[in-house]
Amino acid sequence: MASARAAGGKLERQWRERRNNKGFVTMVSKRKSWKVDASEESCKTDLPKTKKSRISNKENASAFCGLENEGVFEELLRTSGIVLKAGEGQNEIAVDQITFQKKLCLALEKHPTYPAVVKEFISGLESHIKDRNQFKNCLLPCTPVRTEGSRNLVHSYCESLIKLLLGIKILQPAVITLLLEKIPEFFFDIVGTFGTNFPRLIVNQFKWLDKLLDSQDLVKKLMQMVSVSPVPIQHDIVTSLPEILEDSQQSEVARELSCLLKQGRRLTVPILDALSRLDLDAELVAEVRQSAMTIVPSVKLEDLPVVVKFILQNVKAADAVEVISDLRKSLDLSSCVLPLQIQSSQKKIKSQVQASSSLSQVTTSQNCVKLLFDVIKLAVRFQKDVSEAWIKAIENTTSVSDHKVLDLMVLLLIHSTNTRNRKQTEKVLRSKIRLGCMPEQLMQNAFQNHSMVIKDFFPSILALAQTFLHSAHPAVVSFGSCMYKQAFAAFDSYCQQEVVTALVTHVCSGSETELDISLDVLTDLVVLHTSQLMRYATFVKTILDSTQKLNPCQIRKLFYILSTLAFSQKQEGSYIQDDMHMVIRKWLSSTVPNHKQMGIIGAVSMIGSVALKRNEGDAASQERPEPNSECEGQLSTLLDLVGFCCEQTPEVLALYYDEFASLIEKQKGNLDLHLLEEFGKSLVEDFPTDFVVDLSPTVHGSFLFPVKSLYNLDEDQSQEAIAINLLPLMSQSELGRVTAGASNQSKRAVSPMCLSPCFRLLRLYTAEQNSGSLEEIDALLGCPLYLTDLEVEGKLDSLSKQEREFLCSLLFYALNWFREVVNAFCQQQDAEMKGKVLTRLQNITELQNVLGKCLAATPGYVPPPATFDSEAPEAIPSINATGPGRKRSGRKRKADGSKAGSADRSQADDSSEGNQPDTELSELDKTAADREAGNPLAQLQSYRPYFRELDLEVFTVLHCGLLTKSVLDTEMHTEERGNKDIGFSHLCQRSPKEVAVCVVDLLKPLCKHMENMHNYFQAAVQNQGAEDEPGVNIQEHQLMSSCYQLLLLTFRSLFAWNGFSQHENTDLLRSALRVLADRLKPGETEFLPLEELISESFQYLLNFQQSVPSFYCAYILTQLLIAIAEKPMSGWKKEKMASLAKQFLCQSWVKPSGDREKGSQFNSALHTLLCVYMEHTDNILKAIEEISSVGVSELMNSAKDGCSSTYPTLNRQTFPVFFRVMMAQLESSAKSIPAGKPSDSSEVQLEKLLRWNITVRNFHILINLVKVFDSRPVLNICLKYGRLFVEAFLKLAMPLLDHSFKKHTDDVQSLLKTLQLSTRQLHHMCGHSKIHQDIGLTNHVPLLKKSLEQFVYRVKAMLAFNHCQEAFWVGILKNRDLQLKDQIQCDCSTVVSSEGE
């Protein structure tokens, strides 16, 4: 029996071997056929696989029935220490991994059938892994067997069976082949079908192998697999390559991957991920990086962070700026955000599925942007070169249109991430804001579209906003305030609280600018985000503790904010109301005038909030509580207290009238008429009783002057005629002041001081109650005033001081009455009313003529106040008033000039939102005062605070047309600019956009007037002899020139308003441009695109160039054209601007008196025009050379007071201006030349050398001019810009010379020798400064000396780099004066020998 069993066992083994061999051969043949038809199989269905898996499962059921059925594979594994498991259980290992590998290797090598046993073993492995569960077990880590004997022998983590087999040399090739042949079986599997990604597990087996016998073959097969595999498998293979490759293979594979990257976008992420983990040489890195750069604009959004990460990780210091510049050009965040129109339409989608899908797209987009900035943040934090290069790339971007949201966000990121770059970042951001490259619209887009990213930078946003509010530049201040508003709107409650706290801190800081801007921001927030701001009302309320630092205008803003909060919610605002009542009562009861002012302003603000209408469709108004009897009772008590405090003090009562009137005007149409009547009726009822009387031929009483009825426009209506009882009331008021100390009157005081304020309240109250109609009070437009005979010529000297002052006060009251009458009735459409309004303007002019004469004869006189919401001026008005203001004149041209004044003032107001520098405007004022010195009317400009403010609506009379010379002769008094905002309280309460809308409505008549000016001066040019006539003609020329100047200022102030850059104001800009374009093409401009409207408007204004009467007008016209042109200016407009600026520079500017124009204002305008010419000319170096060679040569050959014939504006007085601009522009031009690179071709090097040769030659010409023009300003300019030029040469030109010296030796030598002549002259200037001990000059010497020394050593280093040290030698340089005299041995100099190679 035993022998029979043995024989049977032997036969069984032989059969099993034959079967296994047959199976092995079959599998091999299958593998061979797959290799041939791999591409065909990739298109087949996976139906056979399903059947195969079913068969495998059947086999699995009968597998491992007992040890007697195990083959060589199972037997050798078991004896070596691994137990195979079926089903979900992992394979177990009982020995250490190294021990297992040694045992198995030894067992195979000692096996009797070796090496055939290896094939049998692999065949057994192949059979075993046919079952997917068993295959998965072999690919997953083995589980260590925890027995008493092996606890300390087996590591807690063990590799998979397949990986252990790959570590055995004799098995590795066959196992690799088997695994690679298994991958195609899973081509069409959906990941997760069997819970396992088999291709990824297979590829992972090749990672981190201790030894690969044939790594070249493995990598080759893997790359072939990539070419035929589906994308997910390609992804797994590519990302695994860095862990599979040997060092020697990395470059070759990197080139293959780079080619794959260019072929398609599907493998972008895995390829770049793999490349970033390979050790590549610099040339290959640059090549791959360039490939990555080309796909940035078109790569998928979710892949973008990986691409950017790869580019930033492979940036080197040498080319960092260039790489980052290309990257920022390619990155466009606008593609990451759905347009607002699409988003708004998505909100209306009825399908919830589509809506949720679009929402998820937006969320995904925001997440991708967040990841992108995380990548940039890491690079900025840990790569110094990236941070500095990004700042430099943004700084080098000059075109306004090239700036993106990305730039602002990156600057914020750098500021928040790198402390060492914060100052530099802030400097760049400030510069960009000042230049208009970072408009507020850009910031709004950043906050609205990328709030998730921006929020991470909140500490930096807060710090920058706080810093910007301290700035002196209005654009920077406006940007800072916008940062606060956007941060509050976009961020969470913590950030909102921080914003409010910062704003309150600004208000309490005491700084005037910070205070105004912060209150404006809080006002905007309380209007737009009332409910959110209500949460932080406690913080806002603390400002009440610092009101002693606030002026009345600021108090008005504060109480508007508090009142809105107090009455916007039903319960939450009650505690604010209580505090406000308490503070206002305290102020009203105070004896300090300023406190009474603040109390009145606060009380009226509370009335305004309570009296607002409740609109049914307005959610915000619905939140406001209904006024109840208790609240109304409190306000009535408060108003009674106000009335009691005011009745004995005319100034305080007048303020009460003005404040109530301003409230009605501001809330026009929004007030509850019932409450308005309850609160306001009692205030206007006294006007007829106090100020109006029946007109009678004689007025009884004793007065300083005889009473006479004047300026009656209703003489034909003798019945029931009325008059303003002005002179008698003044006399009573004067008498009342004298007797006030004798008797304490309880009766309310009636003063002419309240006449104009009370009438303003009356007409606004009447218009509000009667839907705009003033029919009830229209008799006041034409009624006369009780004045006196105003024929004062020759009589003033005979009057006493008291009489002259009385007469002046009477005229001030009359003028202010007429001003308020014009304000009231200027918008009436009735033809008769319009005529009366124009007549009243003429009356204003006549009265101003008389007043000017009276003031000239009354020195030291202080007029009665006309504005009551500011402190009275302490000093007597002077002629040389400066600052923004409004003109005082009347009738048609008065209105025009006033318009200019108002528009300009309003735009200067908008200048708080970033307009022109105030210095330009103040220069105008100085010359205006100079021009009108000696004219008694001119002093009216300095009395502006004592006139009532003209409303913007007054300027609608410009539409009446008819501008006559006779009107101009008497009415033009030029625009004057006063201190701060005194006299402009009504204008200050309007938003910049409201003012802009008013000015745009007036553009058509303003264009007509400017065309009339153009025609006048065109005719004057054709009749040059007319200007030689004395007196009237010169005065007329000055008058018309002033009108022209004011009109140009108005246009420039409008179009330079930075609000036009905001998207919501585009339609307003189109309307303004359409008016100008319509002057050239009537009726053809309605449908023109914005670009064509700009071009037509530009051409229209360009037509005025031939008629500008003064250099300052030429300067304003140039600024206007720059403001109106698109940014950046290009094409024919740029050529026209350069031509226009040169034309003005080449024109002789002579006053009508025959004197040449000069002075600080002329020099300032000249500086700006020169800069405009240099910036817009095609060849700046040629322009500099022409001026320095031609213009200056002509000047040197002219007489002492002569000028250049080519450039008449160039004379000895203006030479420093020309010199400064040329030196600054030359240095800027030098900085724009790209630095030399080793990779530059010979042609590129030669082109750069040519530019540097021309630049250095110009520099040499300018430096040599100091020998002739050796004034201190010229020397100062030379020392300053000479150092900057040398530094630019060292930084940008010397790298070029390093690499071009051998190819272009002669050019390099010529360049250095020319520059050396200039550096020697700079050295002599340093000696000159020391000898004369001029501190202003010697301050420049140390830094300049350092730069000159660096130049010497840098040239030596360049020669050493090119192995030409013998071409360098040092000689003794002698100190000389500016004329090269006085030889004293001192320092050393560099000489480059022409023989050196």
Side-chain angles (χ1 to χ4, degrees):
M1 284 295 289
S3 62
R5 269 198 306 272
K10 183 177 180 181
L11 288 171
E12 183 180 355
R13 283 196 300 273
Q14 289 175 353
W15 175 81
R16 188 184 294 122
E17 285 179 11
R18 284 198 301 273
R19 187 190 65 181
N20 288 341
N21 289 335
K22 182 179 178 183
F24 181 75
V25 172
T26 305
M27 291 302 295
V28 170
S29 65
K30 287 182 180 178
R31 289 197 290 270
K32 289 181 179 177
S33 66
W34 171 79
K35 288 179 182 177
V36 174
D37 300 321
S39 61
E40 294 179 6
E41 285 212 10
S42 65
C43 302
K44 296 180 182 178
T45 63
D46 56 354
L47 182 60
K49 295 177 189 174
T50 309
K51 293 180 179 179
K52 186 185 294 185
S53 65
R54 216 176 273 136
I55 296 169
S56 301
N57 290 334
K58 290 178 181 179
E59 292 174 354
N60 186 39
S62 59
F64 301 104
C65 295
L67 294 176
E68 64 275 6
N69 293 329
E70 69 179 5
V72 173
F73 171 69
E74 292 84 358
E75 180 185 353
L76 290 177
L77 287 181
R78 181 176 52 77
T79 56
S80 300
I82 284 186
V83 179
L84 297 175
K85 294 291 185 179
E88 297 296 327
Q90 291 177 262
N91 296 331
E92 295 180 350
I93 182 169
V95 296
D96 186 67
Q97 296 178 117
I98 302 297
T99 305
F100 165 75
Q101 289 176 328
K102 286 181 180 179
K103 281 185 176 182
L104 180 58
C105 184
L106 191 61
L108 287 170
E109 290 175 347
K110 294 290 181 74
H111 198 277
T113 61
Y114 181 80
V117 70
V118 174
K119 293 182 180 180
E120 187 176 355
F121 183 87
I122 295 299
S123 178
L125 172 62
E126 186 174 10
S127 300
H128 180 73
I129 63 177
K130 285 180 181 178
D131 181 273
R132 292 203 175 197
N133 286 331
Q134 292 176 180
F135 189 25
K136 182 175 74 171
N137 288 341
C138 293
L139 294 172
L140 294 175
C142 297
T143 303
V145 178
R146 296 294 184 182
T147 62
E148 289 297 327
S150 63
R151 179 175 298 170
N152 297 325
L153 297 176
V154 184
H155 196 273
S156 60
Y157 173 79
C158 298
E159 298 286 359
S160 66
L161 172 61
I162 297 293
K163 193 148 192 176
L164 290 172
L165 296 180
L166 285 170
I168 301 173
K169 292 182 181 180
I170 57 178
L171 295 176
Q172 188 184 88
V175 175
I176 287 175
T177 303
L178 176 62
L179 290 176
L180 291 176
E181 290 169 352
K182 290 290 289 183
I183 291 178
E185 294 182 17
F186 308 100
F187 272 7
F188 302 102
D189 274 5
I190 299 174
V191 175
T193 301
F194 294 93
T196 306
N197 189 334
F198 280 96
R200 183 176 299 171
L201 286 175
I202 293 171
V203 175
N204 285 345
Q205 307 306 309
F206 302 129
K207 293 182 179 180
W208 308 113
L209 291 176
D210 293 335
K211 180 65 178 176
L212 269 173
L213 298 181
D214 191 355
S215 62
Q216 292 282 357
D217 183 63
L218 173 60
V219 172
K220 183 178 179 181
K221 289 179 179 178
L222 286 174
M223 294 305 294
Q224 289 174 352
M225 189 69 70
V226 168
S227 63
V228 297
S229 303
V231 174
I233 298 177
Q234 291 177 335
H235 191 290
D236 293 331
I237 294 174
V238 171
T239 51
S240 302
L241 283 174
E243 288 80 26
I244 299 173
L245 296 174
E246 292 185 353
D247 292 347
S248 59
Q249 298 175 279
Q250 291 191 2
S251 296
E252 180 183 351
V253 173
R255 293 188 187 279
E256 291 188 44
L257 292 177
S258 180
C259 294
L260 277 177
L261 186 66
K262 297 175 183 176
Q263 291 173 7
R265 302 287 181 263
R266 295 181 303 172
L267 296 178
T268 298
V269 173
I271 290 174
L272 292 179
D273 181 49
L275 288 171
S276 64
R277 290 180 285 144
L278 297 179
D279 186 16
L280 310 177
D281 61 83
E283 184 179 349
L284 184 57
V285 167
E287 181 182 337
V288 176
R289 188 184 63 220
Q290 189 57 40
S291 300
M293 190 75 76
T294 57
I295 68 172
V296 168
S298 57
V299 74
K300 289 182 179 178
L301 185 58
E302 55 267 26
D303 295 343
L304 188 59
V306 179
V307 181
V308 173
K309 181 180 180 180
F310 176 79
I311 294 172
L312 294 179
Q313 281 181 341
N314 293 280
V315 169
K316 305 299 179 185
D319 54 2
V321 176
E322 183 180 359
V323 172
I324 297 298
S325 297
D326 292 341
L327 179 60
R328 67 165 293 280
K329 289 176 185 176
S330 302
L331 282 174
D332 186 12
L333 293 185
S334 61
S335 62
C336 306
V337 182
L338 293 174
L340 294 177
Q341 295 85 355
I342 298 178
Q343 290 186 14
S344 61
S345 65
Q346 286 175 346
K347 293 177 183 177
K348 301 175 183 178
I349 295 177
K350 296 180 180 180
S351 170
Q352 295 297 324
V353 177
Q354 293 181 5
S356 62
S357 173
S358 64
L359 182 62
S360 65
Q361 289 178 9
V362 174
T363 306
T364 304
S365 172
Q366 292 175 348
N367 289 335
C368 292
V369 176
K370 182 79 165 60
L371 288 174
L372 172 64
F373 276 90
D374 287 342
V375 167
I376 298 175
K377 185 175 182 178
L378 285 174
V380 164
R381 173 171 292 174
F382 298 111
Q383 296 172 257
K384 178 183 176 183
D385 298 330
V386 171
S387 178
E388 294 178 351
W390 213 304
I391 295 173
K392 193 68 178 175
I394 296 174
E395 191 176 8
N396 292 342
T397 306
T398 55
S399 172
V400 175
S401 59
D402 288 343
H403 289 79
K404 309 176 180 181
V405 170
L406 174 73
D407 297 330
L408 176 61
M409 295 175 69
V410 168
L411 287 175
L412 292 174
L413 184 150
I414 296 173
H415 188 277
S416 65
T417 305
N418 274 359
T419 54
R420 65 175 180 274
N421 291 118
R422 279 185 181 171
K423 286 188 177 180
Q424 186 183 4
T425 306
E426 184 180 323
K427 179 183 176 183
V428 171
L429 188 54
R430 279 175 181 271
S431 174
K432 294 297 180 182
I433 295 169
R434 285 198 298 268
L435 294 172
C437 298
M438 289 279 181
E440 292 176 10
Q441 185 64 45
L442 203 69
M443 179 175 55
Q444 291 175 14
N445 293 339
F447 276 88
Q448 291 170 5
N449 300 331
H450 308 289
S451 58
M452 185 187 298
V453 178
I454 289 281
K455 185 182 176 183
D456 292 342
F457 315 141
F458 177 71
S460 284
I461 292 171
L462 202 60
L464 285 170
Q466 289 171 343
T467 305
F468 288 170
L469 254 62
H470 297 132
S471 174
H473 197 283
V476 179
V477 174
S478 177
F479 195 88
S481 66
C482 193
M483 289 178 82
Y484 277 129
K485 287 185 276 190
Q486 293 298 325
F488 187 90
F491 297 155
D492 57 19
S493 58
Y494 166 75
C495 299
Q496 290 176 341
Q497 179 175 317
E498 291 297 310
V499 168
V500 173
T501 305
L503 290 171
V504 171
T505 304
H506 284 302
V507 173
C508 300
S509 67
S511 171
E512 193 75 15
T513 305
E514 287 182 56
L515 213 159
D516 283 326
I517 294 297
S518 303
L519 287 174
D520 289 339
V521 173
L522 285 171
T523 302
D524 290 339
L525 293 181
V526 82
V527 171
L528 300 173
H529 311 285
T530 310
S531 58
Q532 290 97 317
L533 191 63
M534 188 67 204
R535 305 171 192 163
Y536 317 105
T538 305
F539 296 97
V540 180
K541 188 168 65 68
T542 58
I543 302 176
L544 287 173
D545 300 331
S546 304
T547 49
Q548 66 274 11
K549 301 176 183 178
L550 308 185
N551 61 39
C553 186
Q554 293 160 350
I555 289 288
R556 188 181 296 114
K557 292 177 184 178
L558 172 61
F559 271 92
Y560 173 77
I561 295 166
L562 292 174
S563 299
T564 305
L565 293 175
F567 295 98
S568 63
Q569 305 285 335
K570 295 184 178 180
Q571 298 296 331
E572 291 85 344
S574 58
Y575 71 97
I576 307 177
Q577 296 177 26
D578 295 339
D579 286 351
M580 290 174 68
H581 276 291
M582 181 176 63
V583 170
I584 291 172
R585 286 194 184 97
K586 182 179 74 173
W587 283 342
L588 289 173
S589 304
S590 173
T591 57
V592 180
N594 285 349
H595 288 181
K596 283 186 181 292
Q597 280 187 353
M598 294 190 293
I600 290 171
I601 293 170
V604 174
S605 295
M606 291 186 70
I607 295 169
S609 295
V610 172
L612 285 177
K613 287 181 181 177
R614 290 171 53 86
N615 300 322
E616 294 183 3
D618 186 0
S621 68
Q622 289 298 311
E623 291 182 359
R624 288 199 305 271
E626 289 280 1
N628 52 45
S629 56
E630 181 184 356
C631 179
E632 290 184 16
Q634 288 180 340
L635 287 175
S636 298
T637 305
L638 191 63
L639 289 180
D640 292 341
L641 179 59
V642 174
F644 176 77
C645 296
C646 293
E647 61 182 10
Q648 291 297 320
T649 313
E651 291 88 346
V652 179
L653 183 59
L655 173 64
Y656 188 23
Y657 289 147
D658 272 344
E659 284 300 309
F660 217 110
S662 296
L663 169 66
I664 297 173
E665 185 177 36
K666 184 177 181 180
Q667 301 292 351
K668 187 180 297 183
N670 294 324
L671 294 175
D672 187 304
L673 297 182
H674 169 72
L675 291 176
L676 177 63
E677 182 176 3
E678 182 178 342
F679 293 145
K681 186 176 182 180
S682 60
L683 296 178
V684 299
E685 284 178 340
D686 296 325
F687 180 82
T689 307
D690 293 343
F691 304 108
V692 180
V693 295
D694 293 331
L695 181 63
S696 62
T698 58
V699 179
H700 301 286
S702 175
F703 310 111
L704 280 177
F705 293 95
V707 178
K708 184 177 181 181
S709 170
L710 297 177
Y711 302 113
N712 187 2
L713 304 183
D714 300 323
E715 294 181 358
D716 55 334
Q717 302 174 3
S718 56
Q719 296 181 353
E720 298 182 1
I722 58 173
I724 302 300
N725 192 31
L726 186 54
L727 191 147
L729 195 60
M730 273 191 66
S731 299
Q732 294 174 14
S733 179
E734 292 291 330
L735 181 63
R737 273 205 298 271
V738 172
T739 60
S743 61
N744 186 11
Q745 301 177 0
S746 59
K747 186 180 179 182
R748 179 174 55 84
V750 178
S751 168
M753 200 178 293
C754 299
L755 170 62
S756 296
C758 191
F759 172 69
R760 180 177 180 82
L761 174 60
L762 172 65
R763 64 101 171 174
L764 287 169
Y765 176 85
T766 304
E768 187 73 8
Q769 293 285 1
N770 297 282
S771 304
S773 172
L774 296 178
E775 187 176 351
E776 293 182 5
I777 59 171
D778 60 358
L780 294 173
L781 173 60
C783 74
L785 286 83
Y786 278 153
L787 301 173
T788 188
D789 186 8
L790 297 180
E791 296 294 332
V792 297
E793 196 72 38
K795 300 179 182 178
L796 291 173
D797 293 338
S798 62
L799 298 178
S800 66
K801 179 182 178 182
Q802 180 187 3
E803 290 173 333
R804 289 198 300 270
E805 290 185 350
F806 183 90
L807 183 59
C808 288
S809 297
L810 182 67
L811 292 172
F812 270 106
Y813 286 134
L815 274 169
N816 286 329
W817 164 257
F818 283 148
R819 280 173 164 261
E820 284 299 342
V821 166
V822 169
N823 282 340
F825 296 98
C826 62
Q827 291 184 290
Q828 298 299 309
Q829 299 302 314
D830 181 71
E832 183 182 356
M833 301 283 276
K834 285 184 178 180
K836 289 182 179 180
V837 169
L838 292 175
T839 305
R840 285 304 184 215
L841 287 172
Q842 182 64 48
N843 297 153
I844 290 174
T845 302
E846 295 171 3
L847 281 175
Q848 286 186 157
N849 290 333
V850 178
L851 179 59
K853 297 173 185 177
C854 293
L855 288 173
T858 316
Y861 165 72
V862 178
T867 56
F868 307 94
D869 59 353
S870 58
E871 297 180 7
E874 297 177 0
I876 297 173
S878 62
I879 292 177
N880 295 324
T882 59
R886 186 191 307 256
K887 73 179 275 297
R888 351 244 54 87
S889 55
R891 187 90 161 80
K892 210 54 230 78
R893 175 73 312 218
K894 174 239 167 237
D896 191 9
S898 257
K899 172 68 224 130
S902 173
D904 209 49
R905 167 63 188 81
S906 61
Q907 301 307 325
D909 228 18
D910 305 343
S911 202
S912 50
E913 306 231 338
N915 238 357
Q916 342 284 340
D918 292 337
T919 53
E920 297 174 3
L921 303 178
S922 63
E923 289 293 343
L924 167 65
D925 309 332
K926 295 176 184 175
T927 53
D930 294 341
R931 182 176 57 251
E932 303 206 27
N935 180 1
L937 299 183
Q939 62 184 303
L940 289 182
Q941 299 175 31
S942 58
Y943 286 90
R944 179 181 57 76
Y946 300 97
F947 289 98
R948 296 288 290 179
E949 181 179 359
L950 284 175
D951 294 339
L952 281 176
E953 288 74 19
V954 170
F955 307 119
T956 55
V957 299
L958 288 171
H959 290 285
C960 298
L962 293 178
L963 173 66
T964 62
K965 191 179 74 172
S966 60
V967 174
L968 287 173
D969 288 340
T970 57
E971 294 166 6
M972 185 59 216
H973 297 292
T974 78
E975 168 184 6
E976 179 271 333
R977 310 180 186 279
N979 295 317
K980 300 182 181 177
D981 291 325
I982 296 176
F984 291 110
S985 58
H986 303 155
L987 187 60
C988 289
Q989 293 180 48
R990 291 177 180 254
S991 70
K993 184 173 181 178
E994 289 175 334
V995 177
V997 169
C998 291
V999 180
V1000 170
D1001 290 340
L1002 296 169
L1003 276 181
K1004 191 172 289 186
L1006 289 177
C1007 285
K1008 292 179 182 178
H1009 291 318
M1010 197 153 75
E1011 289 162 12
N1012 290 340
M1013 296 292 165
H1014 171 75
N1015 296 334
Y1016 172 84
F1017 286 107
Q1018 282 282 78
V1021 170
Q1022 295 172 4
N1023 303 300
Q1024 291 289 340
E1027 292 190 5
D1028 296 334
E1029 299 179 14
V1032 175
N1033 288 328
I1034 293 179
Q1035 184 179 1
E1036 178 182 294
H1037 185 281
Q1038 289 178 340
L1039 184 66
M1040 299 294 280
S1041 179
S1042 298
C1043 292
Y1044 207 161
Q1045 185 169 295
L1046 289 171
L1047 284 166
L1048 288 170
L1049 271 173
T1050 303
F1051 276 82
R1052 187 199 66 178
S1053 298
L1054 173 65
F1055 286 103
W1057 178 46
N1058 64 347
F1060 281 137
S1061 64
Q1062 298 173 3
H1063 179 74
E1064 60 266 24
N1065 295 327
T1066 303
D1067 290 340
L1068 183 61
L1069 175 61
R1070 289 180 61 87
S1071 301
L1073 293 172
R1074 195 177 294 121
V1075 173
L1076 303 187
D1078 203 55
R1079 310 299 292 181
L1080 284 182
K1081 295 183 176 180
E1084 301 178 16
T1085 61
E1086 185 175 355
F1087 301 106
L1088 286 180
L1090 184 62
E1091 293 76 13
E1092 290 190 32
L1093 286 175
I1094 290 174
S1095 297
E1096 294 297 333
S1097 303
F1098 189 91
Q1099 186 60 55
Y1100 169 71
L1101 294 172
L1102 205 59
N1103 294 334
F1104 291 94
Q1105 61 182 306
Q1106 300 298 334
S1107 64
V1108 286
S1110 66
F1111 191 72
Y1112 196 79
C1113 285
Y1115 156 74
I1116 301 171
L1117 177 60
T1118 307
Q1119 294 295 93
L1120 170 58
L1121 288 168
I1122 292 173
I1124 214 167
E1126 71 275 9
K1127 311 287 187 305
M1129 194 182 297
S1130 58
W1132 66 272
K1133 295 189 190 69
K1134 187 174 181 181
E1135 294 176 8
K1136 287 287 186 181
M1137 280 306 306
S1139 173
L1140 179 65
K1142 186 175 182 180
Q1143 173 191 325
F1144 290 149
L1145 293 173
C1146 296
Q1147 188 172 336
S1148 180
W1149 298 96
V1150 181
K1151 297 178 182 178
S1153 60
D1155 298 332
R1156 185 187 298 136
E1157 287 193 34
K1158 57 184 179 181
S1160 59
Q1161 180 209 359
F1162 178 82
N1163 289 344
S1164 175
L1166 178 62
H1167 183 279
T1168 305
L1169 270 177
L1170 263 172
C1171 291
V1172 170
Y1173 171 52
M1174 296 291 182
E1175 290 165 5
H1176 292 83
T1177 187
D1178 290 336
N1179 192 333
I1180 188 172
L1181 297 177
K1182 183 180 178 181
I1184 293 173
E1185 188 168 1
E1186 182 181 355
I1187 295 174
S1188 58
S1189 300
V1190 179
V1192 177
S1193 298
E1194 292 172 351
L1195 176 62
M1196 288 190 290
N1197 296 326
S1198 66
K1200 185 177 181 180
D1201 58 346
C1203 62
S1204 166
S1205 56
T1206 306
Y1207 295 92
T1209 50
L1210 174 59
N1211 53 50
R1212 282 172 171 76
Q1213 287 73 39
T1214 60
F1215 174 80
V1217 179
F1218 274 82
F1219 191 72
R1220 175 183 291 276
V1221 174
M1222 288 191 292
M1223 286 291 286
Q1225 293 293 333
L1226 184 65
E1227 184 253 343
S1228 177
S1229 177
K1231 285 184 175 180
S1232 68
I1233 304 175
K1237 300 177 189 174
S1239 59
D1240 286 344
S1241 64
S1242 181
E1243 292 77 11
V1244 173
Q1245 288 179 350
L1246 195 58
E1247 181 184 351
K1248 292 179 180 178
L1249 278 174
L1250 180 61
R1251 287 185 65 183
W1252 273 112
N1253 265 305
I1254 298 172
T1255 304
V1256 169
R1257 185 175 73 237
N1258 281 338
F1259 183 66
H1260 179 58
I1261 293 171
L1262 293 177
I1263 292 295
N1264 275 341
L1265 292 178
V1266 180
K1267 297 177 183 178
V1268 180
F1269 303 95
D1270 57 356
S1271 63
R1272 185 179 179 279
V1274 173
L1275 286 173
N1276 191 62
I1277 294 166
C1278 232
L1279 292 171
K1280 176 183 176 181
Y1281 289 101
R1283 173 181 64 83
L1284 296 175
F1285 185 88
V1286 172
E1287 289 177 353
F1289 187 88
L1290 290 172
K1291 185 176 181 180
L1292 302 172
M1294 289 310 298
L1296 172 67
L1297 303 189
D1298 288 342
H1299 303 289
S1300 58
F1301 182 74
K1302 290 184 178 179
K1303 295 180 183 178
H1304 311 285
T1305 307
D1306 293 339
D1307 293 324
V1308 173
Q1309 284 183 355
S1310 173
L1311 177 64
L1312 287 174
K1313 286 185 175 180
T1314 306
L1315 182 59
Q1316 191 176 20
L1317 295 175
S1318 302
T1319 57
R1320 285 181 180 176
Q1321 185 68 21
L1322 288 172
H1323 176 79
H1324 299 324
M1325 291 180 205
C1326 293
H1328 173 85
S1329 303
K1330 289 183 177 180
I1331 292 170
H1332 287 78
Q1333 297 182 348
D1334 189 320
I1335 297 176
L1337 297 179
T1338 53
N1339 284 339
H1340 294 288
V1341 170
L1343 291 175
L1344 177 56
K1345 283 272 192 178
K1346 179 182 177 182
S1347 298
L1348 296 177
E1349 189 176 339
Q1350 287 177 340
F1351 173 65
V1352 172
Y1353 289 113
R1354 188 63 181 83
V1355 171
K1356 184 176 181 180
M1358 182 270 292
L1359 294 172
F1361 179 77
N1362 289 279
H1363 310 292
C1364 298
Q1365 294 92 329
E1366 66 277 4
F1368 181 88
W1369 60 277
V1370 179
I1372 301 301
L1373 184 63
K1374 297 178 180 180
N1375 262 346
R1376 305 174 188 268
D1377 62 10
L1378 298 179
Q1379 280 70 38
L1380 302 182
K1381 298 175 183 177
D1382 250 346
Q1383 302 181 3
I1384 304 174
Q1385 294 184 357
C1386 178
D1387 215 331
C1388 62
S1389 173
T1390 309
V1391 179
V1392 181
S1393 171
S1394 60
E1395 298 176 1
E1397 288 295 334

